Amino acid sequence: MIPRAELQLACTPGIGATLGSRLIDHFGSAERAVAAGERAWRELGVPRAACATLAAGDNARVAETERWLDEPNRHFITRAHRHYPNALAELDPAPPWLYGVGDTELLNYPAIAIVGSRNPSPAGLEAAREFGHALASAGLVVVSGLARGIDAAAHEGALAADGMTIAVCGTGLDRVYPAMNRDLAERIAAQGLMLSEFGLGTEPARGNFPRRNRIIAGLCTATLVVEAARASGSLITARMASAAGREVFALPGSIHNPLARGCHQLIRDGAKLVETTEHILEDIAGVLDGYRRPASYPSDHESEDAENTAGAPAENDTHAALLAALGHGPARVDDLVARTGWSADAVSSSLLILELEGRVQAGPGGAYTCTVS
């Protein structure tokens, strides 16, 4: 049964999640909040127009939303809902309601956010897909914001693994933003979950996306940032995650890539540098202990990263061996793969670290040179 009082609050223009939470907490329930009367509402900061709508009790938006919720796999998730996420309940204030399309059971599985630039490099897109695929294969729910670029690639990676993914939206769920991701949104709704705290008809607006990012950060055990400029919404998500006591990971990049600077800043600020999914899984192993994955999703982690790094020496010897293979002349990744016998991923990962340390430099055509004698 749809909780009518919460729905009435949610469908009243001028009462968003923050004010709705305040009303419910103050009066002890949504039913008491709706019945409190205009004087009590005004004392708690409810706008005059919203008071008039609540007092009238005849709200066309409620009827419209009820019709929308009558369709299969559409949900209005309040704090009393059996699938209201425990992680979001820890936020202050906790969102009083959420709208969903898809499988709400995903809300209580361990989740990781993958976020980053809307205009990433091809390498950034590939990394987001690979991490999305590998982490979903490990049994984690991959959460992102449905934006173009890194967000979409992370969702795509999780779907390709037949894994679990949640798209948290900054609009009502009767809208898809950006429109170019409509097909992706339909696939997520069918295989995962579309989620929003915004009511039907809510259009994209600048102020919506920090609120969306708060849900992403709060919902997840950890956040991974893949390519982000210094002035980036992804950094806001990461900082919200850190403030909520969640782990933050960042993927390093070339020092010449402006889209890597946000990640490098996060690492300087204490985020953990990540090269493989194993780095993440080792850190959050405690969260996964005792977690039983649903039968409909992959139960065994496909150790792609272990395969990708096969043949590479131990980390203490890796950098010295690669510098020796590089020698004094420029060399591309393919050259170094041939000289070392390592995989391209193992070579690229080590080059990233050496470049951050200032020991190698990337030149034209993707050739690297040693900067230390």
Side-chain angles (χ1 to χ4, degrees):
M1 180 178 291
I2 299 170
R4 177 80 184 194
E6 280 93 342
L7 190 60
Q8 190 171 349
L9 289 173
C11 292
T12 299
I15 299 181
T18 300
L19 182 53
S21 182
R22 188 189 312 158
L23 288 166
I24 293 170
D25 291 345
H26 179 82
F27 292 107
S29 71
E31 289 78 9
R32 290 174 184 163
V34 168
E38 184 168 356
R39 181 175 178 180
W41 298 331
R42 292 287 290 167
E43 288 176 353
L44 287 174
V46 178
R48 192 176 300 277
C51 288
T53 301
L54 278 177
D58 184 17
N59 188 338
R61 291 192 180 192
V62 173
E64 177 189 2
T65 304
E66 287 177 327
R67 287 192 295 272
W68 182 83
L69 289 167
D70 281 340
E71 296 295 323
N73 293 321
R74 293 179 178 178
H75 312 277
F76 183 62
I77 307 157
T78 67
R79 294 176 190 170
H81 192 284
R82 66 193 180 99
H83 291 152
Y84 185 92
N86 297 328
L88 289 186
E90 298 171 1
L91 297 183
D92 185 19
W97 51 70
L98 297 161
Y99 299 85
V101 180
D103 185 0
T104 59
E105 288 191 20
L106 272 59
L107 291 169
N108 279 303
Y109 295 129
I112 182 164
I114 302 179
V115 296
S117 173
R118 287 176 169 81
N119 298 290
S121 68
L125 278 177
E126 183 180 359
R129 288 192 193 97
E130 289 177 353
F131 274 85
H133 188 286
L135 291 166
S137 296
L140 288 163
V141 180
V142 172
V143 179
S144 201
L146 197 68
R148 68 178 185 270
I150 295 300
D151 288 21
H155 291 305
E156 292 278 7
L159 291 171
D162 290 326
M164 302 175 283
T165 189
I166 296 174
V168 184
C169 302
T171 66
L173 292 183
D174 58 337
R175 305 284 191 272
V176 174
Y177 179 80
M180 64 184 292
N181 285 342
R182 186 173 302 280
D183 288 346
L184 176 59
E186 290 175 358
R187 290 164 57 207
I188 294 171
Q191 188 172 327
L193 178 67
M194 298 285 290
L195 192 70
S196 179
E197 69 172 326
F198 298 103
L200 301 185
T202 303
E203 299 285 356
R206 183 179 296 273
N208 294 359
F209 295 98
R211 291 172 59 183
R212 177 204 64 178
N213 294 348
R214 178 176 180 264
I215 299 294
I216 293 173
L219 192 60
C220 297
T221 297
T223 293
L224 170 65
V225 183
V226 180
E227 285 199 340
R230 280 180 180 158
S232 167
S234 302
L235 269 62
I236 296 173
T237 305
R239 286 167 184 145
M240 287 177 172
S242 181
R246 293 3 179 207
E247 294 282 4
V248 177
F249 302 95
L251 200 66
S254 168
I255 59 174
H256 303 291
N257 179 4
L259 292 175
R261 290 174 185 165
C263 291
H264 295 169
Q265 183 63 56
L266 287 173
I267 292 167
R268 287 194 294 274
D269 291 343
K272 296 179 180 178
L273 185 151
V274 166
E275 295 175 284
T276 71
T277 52
E278 294 302 329
H279 293 162
I280 296 173
L281 296 172
E282 288 167 5
D283 262 64
I284 63 172
V287 176
L288 297 175
D289 285 348
Y291 162 59
R292 183 176 182 181
R293 298 182 183 91
S296 58
Y297 295 103
S299 59
D300 296 318
H301 174 50
E302 298 172 8
S303 54
E304 296 178 8
D305 295 301
E307 293 172 5
N308 288 341
T309 56
E315 186 173 348
N316 288 343
D317 302 324
T318 299
H319 298 165
L322 191 59
L323 288 170
L326 183 57
H328 299 291
R332 294 185 294 273
V333 170
D334 289 347
D335 300 324
L336 295 170
V337 168
R339 293 175 191 175
T340 62
W342 306 351
S343 70
D345 283 348
V347 169
S348 297
S349 295
S350 295
L351 284 171
L352 284 174
I353 301 302
L354 290 170
E355 189 173 9
L356 287 171
E357 293 175 349
R359 301 170 73 185
V360 302
Q361 181 176 341
Y368 288 83
T369 54
C370 183
T371 60
V372 294
S373 57

